[in-house]
Amino acid sequence: MPNFTFDRSAGSHSLARPLTATLGLSPVRETQRVTAMRKSRTDVADITDEVSGKTVSHATQPDARRLEIHFTDDSVLAIELLHRRLAAALTRGPGDPTGNGLHDGPEPTRRQREYLEFIARYILRFGVSPAESDIERHFLVSAPSVNQMVQTLERRGFITRRRGVPRSITIVDRTHC
């Protein structure tokens, strides 16, 4: 991955020099790729709105000039160095509410499914999501175990939570878009 540096005077991130690796594409293919990235360019504010609230699954670097940030809803934010400028494009995956199709993401393990079913039953019965202490009492496990499982469920995209808001767990509907 390219090195990122933080320029305190400018208050922004910039790619550190040198970036001399070539992509190995023919000039025609490079032109097509540049044209595609330019057509899909979006205003920074639009990308910020689209990405806000999404959970990052992982990041990859297909080549020296491109960084892809993958989200749990299968959308991808591609950032690429084109002609000494950064270009960004957001593609929506099948799990994105604005996309089409069913989610092909990972299935929960048996234990994760037990937690998800408990959370769903709790919400149906009481009208609010359970606190981690409620989950702890139900499964007779320690508080760190519950916290780790909730974080795992959130990271894998099975639930969402709002930071700083108690009882804010919601189960992500992975069968409909």
Side-chain angles (χ1 to χ4, degrees), residues 2-3 15-24 61 63-65 81 84:
N3 293 326
L15 288 174
R17 294 282 181 216
L19 268 178
T20 57
T22 63
L23 299 178
Q61 184 184 9
D63 54 59
R65 294 178 173 219
L81 184 63
R84 303 179 86 180

Side-chain angles (χ1 to χ4, degrees), residues 13-147:
H13 294 279
S14 61
L15 288 174
R17 294 282 181 216
L19 268 178
T20 57
T22 63
L23 299 178
L25 299 175
S26 70
V28 172
R29 179 67 181 122
E30 177 68 16
T31 303
Q32 290 172 344
R33 195 168 59 82
V34 169
T35 304
M37 284 294 283
R38 282 187 180 153
K39 285 180 182 175
S40 64
R41 270 197 309 190
T42 309
D43 187 54
V44 173
D46 294 338
I47 290 176
T48 303
D49 291 341
E50 291 286 331
V51 174
S52 180
K54 291 188 179 194
T55 304
V56 174
S57 169
H58 63 282
T60 59
Q61 184 184 9
D63 54 59
R65 294 178 173 219
R66 184 179 176 94
L67 175 67
E68 294 179 350
I69 301 170
H70 299 260
F71 298 94
T72 55
D73 65 356
D74 295 332
S75 59
V76 178
L77 175 61
I79 303 169
E80 190 163 1
L81 184 63
L82 296 173
H83 303 295
R84 303 179 86 180
R85 294 178 185 226
L86 288 178
L90 181 67
T91 57
R92 291 173 184 82
D96 193 307
T98 59
N100 297 322
L102 297 176
H103 189 277
D104 294 335
E107 291 296 316
T109 64
R110 182 180 52 80
R111 187 64 166 170
Q112 290 170 348
R113 190 173 292 113
E114 290 173 1
Y115 274 73
L116 291 169
E117 289 171 356
F118 170 75
I119 293 167
R121 284 194 315 267
Y122 192 98
I123 292 171
L124 283 174
R125 182 173 181 188
F126 297 106
V128 294
S129 62
E132 288 188 8
S133 60
D134 297 325
I135 299 171
E136 180 184 342
R137 279 191 301 274
H138 178 79
F139 287 102
L140 301 174
V141 295
S142 67
S145 296
V146 171
N147 184 267

Side-chain angles (χ1 to χ4, degrees), residues 53 55 72-73 95-97 103 108 116 119-120 123 153-161 169-177:
T55 304
T72 55
D73 65 356
D96 193 307
H103 189 277
L116 291 169
I119 293 167
I123 292 171
L153 292 172
E154 184 176 24
R155 185 174 53 252
R156 295 191 68 201
F158 299 127
I159 64 170
T160 59
R161 297 185 294 172
I169 297 173
T170 56
I171 296 177
V172 175
D173 184 7
R174 298 166 65 82
T175 58
H176 298 91
C177 288

